DNA sequence: CTTCCTGCAAAGGCTTTGCAAAGCT
DNA sequence: AGCTTTGCAAAGCCTTTGCAGGAAG
């Protein structure tokens, strides 16, 4: 069990590998290439922490030449999820959907302070193993999971 | 690790104990008694599985003399949560919020088939223990958690 | 030329909120 | 009386959808 290492920002080559993985999926599905979709993917891969759809749209408005409409971002995100670049996260926050990069990043879960909102990312191999065994014993093939621990952090608990 | 026992429906006395627990909270908070709130609590405590706000509102429309507006149910549910009668659940389903009774019911988590939607409730003492240790090691005081395993059940995986 | 993609605006679905009447204490 | 609670309707918010023009293959 350990603290997940802080998000090691993806360098330009990493982003490029992510785009290639995206292209592999879109080709396989018979989709066309799209500069806008790649711009969204770039923005998502470049983010270091948790982000919302609006965060991405905002990055794109300020950052590059392409300024996708947020409806487009909503349409692209499920593709990025399917391509394994990002994943929904912080589902207990309630206010809107959040994502985080999963591409070339170690799997982790979250410990969340319900008072100040601080988030600790952890990884427990023991829990992962138990989950697998559990699923197996019920005849399930596990594809993903949501595991968020809610409580008060040291600062808020005093 | 085991299958959580099927919800042992609360009998009338159990419901009454639940209402008492609710009254304890409302008194402590200086709230007033309310027949409508208790009707919602009764409906929630009487449900056996997972339910939505609309499910409750519907029960109340058909069941008793009181027919609370759904806005009222939305206002009452957080109080029932705080009183420890119910809890949000199936957060990964996405479509609206679901609740389930926690009062006089063993804690459990969920294994969910993303294809057919079937849900298995399980309890793993080992995982619970690991969670506690984990929170402790990061200086958190745990108050609750969300743990949902997503995958394909035996039927859908063939 | 056929199919996919994008922007825009509108619709949708769930949940919250403002207000006035009604209910507790 | 003074505060909470309720119903109702309206507003809010996030997300999805229909459509028409544009881009890719």
């Amino acid at each position: 069990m350990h603290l997940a290492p802080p998000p090691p920002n993806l360098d330009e080559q990493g982003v490029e590998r992510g785009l290639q993985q995206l292209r592999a999926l879109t080709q396989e599905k018979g989709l066309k290439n799209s500069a806008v979709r790649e711009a969204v993917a770039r923005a998502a891969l470049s983010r270091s922490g948790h982000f919302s759809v609006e965060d991405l749209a905002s990055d794109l408005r300020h950052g590059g030449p392409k300024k996708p409409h947020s409806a487009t971002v909503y349409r692209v995100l499920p593709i990025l999820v399917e391509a394994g670049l990002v994943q929904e996260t912080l589902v207990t926050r309630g206010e809107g959907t959040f994502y985080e990069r999963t591409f070339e990043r170690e799997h982790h879960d979250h410990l969340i302070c319900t008072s100040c909102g601080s988030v600790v990312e952890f990884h427990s191999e023991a829990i992962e193993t138990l989950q697998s065994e559990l699923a197996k014993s019920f005849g399930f093939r596990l594809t993903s999971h949501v595991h968020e621990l809610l409580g008060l952090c040291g600062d808020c608990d005093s």
Side-chain angles (χ1 to χ4, degrees), chain A:
Chain A
M1 182 252 291
H2 61 83
L3 232 168
N9 272 352
L10 221 50
D11 59 18
E12 182 54 35
Q13 298 177 22
V15 171
E16 208 47 56
R17 287 190 295 275
L19 294 182
Q20 284 170 23
Q21 185 163 312
L22 173 60
R23 289 181 197 121
L25 175 76
T26 52
Q27 278 186 34
E28 176 193 318
K29 301 189 67 163
L31 302 181
K32 315 202 166 183
N33 283 337
S34 147
V36 173
R37 185 161 54 216
E38 297 207 345
V40 176
R42 271 183 185 285
L45 290 167
S46 303
R47 276 260 162 189
S48 55
H50 309 110
F51 56 87
S52 65
V53 168
E54 262 323 300
D55 290 333
L56 279 196
S58 163
D59 285 0
L60 290 160
R61 267 192 292 279
H62 297 87
K66 297 256 105 192
K67 293 155 184 23
H69 194 276
S70 56
T72 301
V73 181
Y74 276 105
R75 280 187 278 231
V76 168
L77 271 166
I79 301 177
L80 303 189
V81 170
E82 192 175 351
L85 303 191
V86 302
Q87 199 174 37
E88 284 195 26
T89 193
L90 301 185
V91 303
T92 52
R93 176 156 309 184
E95 334 197 337
T97 305
F98 286 80
Y99 295 86
E100 66 186 339
R101 169 166 62 89
T102 54
F103 180 72
E104 296 189 355
R105 172 118 168 64
E106 187 193 51
H107 167 72
H108 61 273
D109 292 298
H110 299 97
L111 191 48
I112 304 164
C113 176
T114 52
S115 172
C116 71
S118 69
V119 174
V120 173
E121 308 190 330
F122 67 86
H123 179 84
S124 165
E125 203 50 47
I127 292 179
E128 301 290 325
T129 303
L130 285 166
Q131 286 179 163
S132 301
E133 290 173 355
L134 220 149
K136 192 174 179 184
S137 80
F138 289 116
F140 273 63
R141 185 159 60 82
L142 220 52
T143 52
S144 69
H145 67 258
V146 170
H147 197 184
E148 300 184 6
L149 307 183
L150 306 170
L152 294 173
C153 71
D155 290 346
C156 293
D157 192 24
S158 34

